[in-house]
Amino acid sequence: MAGRAGDGAMAPNPFVDRELAALREGGYRGPAWRAFGRALAASAGASAAARPELARELGLARLGALAVAAAVSLALLADGVPALGAVPLPALAALLLLAWVGVELGLVRHPLTGVPSPAIGPANLMSLFRGWAAVPVLLLGLSLRRPDWLWFGLCLAAGLTDLFDGTVAGRLGQESRLGRLLDPVMDACFFSAAAAGVARWGLMPAWLAALVALRYFVPVLGGLALMLARGRTLPVRHTAWGQRSTLAIGLALTLTWLSSLVALPAPLLPAIYAVALATMALALAGILRRAPVGAVADPGAP
């Protein structure tokens, strides 16, 4: 929610619209994609040159992210995760996510007015942490026989970022297009990874974990496909049921983890799963209702 700025739809991006139109006119063939990539690289370089403070901030973020990744890798090794995944993947994921931000420095602008935001800011770093946490969470889910405190601690930290990144962005005046872009993608990665783990442990039905992944990835991938088909950006918009759905999913995952430690009342998990399913359906219905007029909703925002 780091890009939240009221409920208005994000204004179109003229530069990306122009390049998407050129890509479409080129028939999405190899030369058109190469030209599109060169244009993005040139734009990223120009943004870094025009605002060197963002490039410095990004450099510091890389150092901090690598330190966190190294610490988590050590914890994963101590928890029995194979070194082939535990050692390289957290650092690689951190570098890839920050490289994406480096390409998108031009989006460090207010989502509605287009006025430059003062910094990438902690709110966007919180969102990035949520997406990055999907890697160690998934590694633990695939390697352990049951959830442990490391898995839960990572999930709790990542889930809390989803509650507070929008508030932090607003308080610091750092709402941005970048935040609007990161939020749904980071949500999709993290919540899908967490659901995959609890399903593998047999604590949650596999079909429900699959629906959690679809709830996040359908809007993201559908929006991307629609953007390419139309040859222009789509105004990301907040939905009324997005936050409620994410809260219900987070509560369902927390109670599912808790059920591995203590006996819960028999009706509790089915009830929270029903609430999660209902809010997921309402969130997706809201997105589909808006889609015909060209707005792609941010599925993790209110």
Side-chain angles (χ1 to χ4, degrees), residues 123-299:
N124 283 322
L125 296 180
M126 292 167 68
S127 296
L128 287 166
F129 174 83
R130 185 164 64 256
W132 170 84
V135 173
V137 164
L138 184 59
L139 287 172
L140 289 166
L142 295 176
S143 303
L144 302 183
R145 293 184 177 180
R146 56 181 293 146
D148 67 357
W149 287 99
L150 177 60
W151 181 89
F152 178 71
L154 286 167
C155 287
L156 179 62
L160 288 175
T161 67
D162 200 32
L163 289 177
F164 296 115
D165 56 359
T167 300
V168 171
R171 292 283 179 86
L172 298 178
Q174 294 174 349
E175 298 154 317
S176 67
R177 289 175 177 267
L178 178 63
R180 287 276 184 105
L181 177 64
L182 290 177
D183 221 38
V185 180
M186 300 300 100
D187 282 352
C189 295
F190 167 67
F191 285 104
S192 298
V198 294
R200 179 184 173 274
W201 292 318
L203 300 174
M204 172 183 282
W207 60 265
L208 181 55
L211 287 179
V212 170
L214 288 174
R215 176 257 184 273
Y216 289 103
F217 276 109
V218 164
V220 170
L221 297 179
L224 180 61
L226 188 60
M227 183 177 69
L228 290 173
R230 294 187 173 188
R232 64 178 185 270
T233 53
L234 303 173
V236 179
R237 183 190 298 272
H238 296 136
T239 66
W241 282 96
Q243 174 70 359
R244 297 167 190 167
S245 173
T246 294
L247 285 173
I249 291 170
L251 182 58
L253 291 170
T254 301
L255 290 176
T256 300
W257 166 79
L258 190 60
S259 71
S260 70
L261 301 177
V262 299
L264 298 178
L268 184 58
L269 282 181
I272 190 58
Y273 291 166
V275 170
L277 286 170
T279 56
M280 287 160 58
L282 289 167
L284 288 174
I287 292 169
L288 293 175
R289 187 167 58 248
R290 295 172 187 264
V293 298
V296 174
D298 173 348

Side-chain angles (χ1 to χ4, degrees), residues 59-143:
L60 291 173
R62 286 193 187 98
L63 292 176
L66 288 176
V68 171
V72 170
S73 289
L74 291 175
L76 292 175
L77 290 171
D79 227 13
V81 176
L84 186 62
V87 174
L89 293 184
L92 180 60
L95 291 175
L96 286 175
L97 286 173
L98 289 169
W100 179 21
V101 174
V103 173
E104 304 289 2
L105 286 181
L107 296 182
V108 185
R109 295 175 175 276
H110 193 280
L112 304 184
T113 66
V115 174
S117 297
I120 297 170
N124 283 322
L125 296 180
M126 292 167 68
S127 296
L128 287 166
F129 174 83
R130 185 164 64 256
W132 170 84
V135 173
V137 164
L138 184 59
L139 287 172
L140 289 166
L142 295 176
S143 303

Side-chain angles (χ1 to χ4, degrees), residues 1-86:
M1 300 169 209
R4 186 174 66 181
D7 292 326
M10 188 166 67
N13 186 319
F15 166 74
V16 178
D17 282 354
R18 183 174 66 251
E19 297 305 324
L20 284 172
L23 181 62
R24 184 184 183 190
E25 290 171 4
Y28 303 104
R29 291 187 289 270
W33 279 108
R34 287 192 290 273
F36 183 73
R38 288 194 297 269
L40 289 182
S43 174
S47 296
R51 300 186 65 188
E53 71 279 7
L54 298 184
R56 287 192 296 270
E57 185 183 2
L58 190 58
L60 291 173
R62 286 193 187 98
L63 292 176
L66 288 176
V68 171
V72 170
S73 289
L74 291 175
L76 292 175
L77 290 171
D79 227 13
V81 176
L84 186 62

